[in-house]
């Protein structure tokens, strides 16, 4: 199937990705005289900053993942095409996508690539099966199953060492996602699950947060990092900094401390939130346009977020490298809107040479550590504690898509933060059983084959 | 691991199953001088009557599936054991369960078996992969992916016949679940998805409801069945009665009408809600006790819900056969409570011979056809339309477990019934892609091997 102009040909904008960059770009084109084709791999937009709350039983999938098609239902000039983009041909101005066995070629006049980033294991992809990342709804639901499944297994075990291994949760990476996840696993075990078991005491679970960096939330640094660390430690999170992961297997990790000593941490449930790698589409764009890519595979764009020599191809969000801008929702939203506005200006006769460079307006960034406590940085202003947390609540509600999701999220938060319950504690059978079973099976197979292979070093 | 008495030996009640029967039995033992061990295959209780709303994007998993452990957290005399019961030995008074590779033997003084029922394909289990049932959370999420995935595929197709096949949804079985599901798929396509696609008109989707019986909701019969049928037809559901399914494959079904003519219905998305089969544990109990089983594998129990010669072994809910009682939540709840009360009476010195027989108090039954319309039967009283629907709303909210779930469900209903949105429209990648992909793959393999094998007849 090939999507071709129908009737009078309007300027066609193809947008790749339904994250913050792609969605905001599409919505910014609502009143423009263009046809927008949004091609995305998932049928939902994802409010990624709250994914860790799906993983820890606070929010439902629907709260943070509205169907993109429903969000754009009333935007008549936009259509959503489900598919994985396989190739972009910037000379032919065409995008080839695939959904199952169905291949679609879509021509474009302007292109906005916002395909985001996935987890990076710094060359140690074999870690992924034992320490999954947290980038998609599937990841979050699987992690929920792994976390709750570990408690269930511990309840059934009467071996001291095995219990200790099952009740040790390791989060690799002390950036915002890692910090928020570690904080929530700690609250889950200390508050939510308190008294729910009869043979184990879930409040004794170890939650370990590891990072190679010398402080947590290094992007904030200084006072805020120290505050965050203090709050985490009061919650009972063990923080191990200056520590590199050298190996991950079904039963734990091997790590190397700053002084070079290697040691082992026995743990069944591990999560990886240590690094990101831009969508592989970045490499395609770079190769075709001569743009460079950075270490994370992000495309080095021109000041107007386009590829060199291709003023009609924009790259925004986590895929783009410009002025060391961080991988934040705000950068993607503003980039998407900027690209849309340049396209509209072009239709009005503006020459690409006249474009004003993209300028990121820093509205600040924040991370919640636990209920009632967050750290936030807005320009030079640093906020922490309860005021930071209220600001966090307010801003996240503001940006959630859809009135009903906002209400439903508020309700879930009221429950999770004021009572000791959580609404979304069901792990589907598939998630609890199948995945743990797969790990087990693999573990047994490997034991039979004698060893798990050489562990390589990771940062 | 073997669960043995700790300290002073109290009377131990083992409950198998965390559905209505098992949960209500456990809760009814709250103040009794017993230890309760609830063994269940899933970590959640499931409010099965609303499962179809998870499948059609109205409710979240958490709304209808609270973690059993959390529900029972404060009941100090109860513990939850996750595991699949493999054998029950009623002479040794022991239950063997397995969670992954961990086997647990639990001794009991009294046993309440409430392991429920699964889907039955009447000997045609090969239908299951193409027309999954709707008994578990996993089933509901998979079905959600299949329904939404069919619309997505249709949007991408430019072949007329293929589109028609993708936009034909067939529900086999016109009992309450089938009727409610067909009604909701119709509302989803006609209201929720209206205007959400650009190449197809989802309101033109065919929703076919098939049954071998001569009327819908045969359990009600007469006026209510006719009312339900009228409402469904106004919603656009095609009703085909007196129709038997003779074959199911990836692309559709073959059916045989009352007059003996065979015909084919092309349809990608099929759901099976035509029959139930009691848990296979029923056969074990019957074989050991000499009790009979009915066609659905349900155990024919004594008037006090016990096995012949085993007054300490109760069978309740969908697994039990007594006085032709239907497989309703109320029957299971009341059976569970009854069993608990007999056990308590026994501790107080009552002889099993003195037990009053179980008497089901019919509080009525109901089914929603669409928003604002339900049918209900309470004794001789028959209610339909809006009043029935309000009664339905009220009663379902009443029985949902947990205050927060009630609020959250009410919020989701407000949205689904008063606006055109639904909060839980996200299909996880696993569900949309993996499962459809598996079907595709199988279809191709079979095509290569030349045919899908002989289709057998089903009722």
């Amino acid at each position: 199937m090939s999507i071709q102009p129908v009737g009078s040909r309007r300027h066609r904008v193809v947008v790749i990705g339904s994250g913050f960059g792609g969605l905001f770009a599409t919505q910014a084109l609502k009143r423009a005289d263009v046809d927008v084709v949004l091609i995305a791999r998932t049928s939902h937009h994802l409010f990624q900053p709250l994914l860790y709350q799906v993983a820890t039983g606070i929010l439902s999938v629907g709260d943070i993942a509205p169907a993109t098609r429903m969000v754009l239902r009333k935007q008549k000039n936009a259509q959503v095409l489900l598919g994985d983009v396989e190739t972009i041909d910037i000379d032919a101005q065409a995008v080839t996508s695939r959904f199952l066995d169905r291949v679609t070629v879509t021509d474009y006049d302007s292109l906005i690539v916002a395909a985001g980033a996935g987890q990076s294991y710094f060359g140690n992809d074999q870690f992924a099966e034992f320490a999954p990342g947290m980038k998609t709804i599937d990841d979050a639901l699987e992690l929920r199953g792994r976390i709750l499944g570990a408690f269930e297994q511990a309840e059934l075990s009467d071996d001291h060492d095995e219990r200790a291994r099952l009740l040790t949760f390791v989060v690799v990476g002390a950036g915002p996602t890692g910090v928020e996840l570690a904080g929530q696993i700690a609250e889950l075990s200390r508050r939510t699950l308190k008294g729910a078991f009869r043979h184990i005491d879930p409040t004794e679970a170890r939650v370990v947060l590891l990072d190679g960096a010398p402080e947590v939330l290094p992007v904030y640094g200084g006072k805020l990092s120290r505050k965050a660390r203090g709050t985490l430690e009061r919650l009972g999170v063990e923080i191990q900094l200056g520590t590199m992961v050298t190996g991950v297997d079904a039963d734990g990790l091997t790590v190397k401390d700053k002084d070079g000593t290697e040691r082992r941490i026995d743990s069944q449930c591990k999560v990886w939130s240590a690094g990101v790698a831009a969508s592989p589409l970045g490499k395609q764009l770079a190769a075709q346009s001569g743009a460079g890519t950075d270490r994370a595979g992000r495309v080095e764009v021109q000041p107007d977020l386009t590829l060199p020599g291709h003023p009609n191809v924009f790259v925004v969000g986590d895929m783009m490298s410009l002025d060391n801008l961080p991988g934040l929702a705000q950068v993607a939203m503003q980039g998407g809107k900027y690209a849309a506005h340049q396209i509209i200006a072009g239709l009005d006769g503006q020459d690409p040479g006249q474009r004003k460079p993209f300028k990121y307006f820093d509205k600040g960034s924040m991370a919640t550590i636990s209920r009632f406590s967050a750290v936030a940085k807005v320009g030079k202003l640093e906020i922490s504690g309860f005021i930071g947390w209220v600001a966090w609540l307010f801003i996240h509600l503001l940006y959630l898509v859809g009135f009903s999701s906002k209400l439903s999220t508020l309700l879930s938060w009221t429950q999770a933060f004021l009572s000791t319950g959580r609404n979304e504690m069901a792990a589907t059978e598939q998630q609890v059983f199948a995945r743990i079973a797969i790990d087990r099976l693999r573990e047994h197979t490997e034991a039979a084959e004698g060893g798990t292979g050489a562990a390589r070093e990771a940062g």
Side-chain angles (χ1 to χ4, degrees), chain A residues 2 32 46 53 58 60 79 82 128 130 137 153 170 176 178 229 247 250-251 257 282 294 341 386 392 398 429 434:
Chain A
S2 170
L46 178 61
Q53 295 200 357
I58 297 176
S60 79
Q79 62 167 295
L82 199 57
F130 303 114
I137 281 291
Q153 286 176 276
V170 179
R229 182 182 181 148
D251 288 338
D257 288 321
D294 69 7
H341 292 150
F386 187 69
W392 173 88
L398 193 72
E429 279 183 73

Side-chain angles (χ1 to χ4, degrees), chain A residues 6 38 47 78 96 126 134 174-175 182 212 241 251 257 272 281 331 338-339 374 401 410 443:
Chain A
V6 183
L38 172 62
F47 195 92
T96 305
Q126 75 280 10
M134 240 228 340
L241 297 169
D251 288 338
D257 288 321
W272 192 268
L281 292 176
V331 175
Y338 171 88
V401 175
L410 191 60
E443 188 184 340

Side-chain angles (χ1 to χ4, degrees), chain A residues 445-457:
Chain A
T445 318
E446 278 163 358
E449 285 168 358
T452 58
R456 271 165 272 163
E457 192 149 340

Side-chain angles (χ1 to χ4, degrees), chain A residues 22-31 36 71-72 75 337 340 401:
Chain A
L23 187 63
F24 275 67
T26 303
Q27 291 180 321
L29 289 166
K30 186 167 185 174
R31 288 188 180 77
V36 186
V71 176
L72 296 173
Q75 184 172 336
K337 279 195 216 173
V401 175

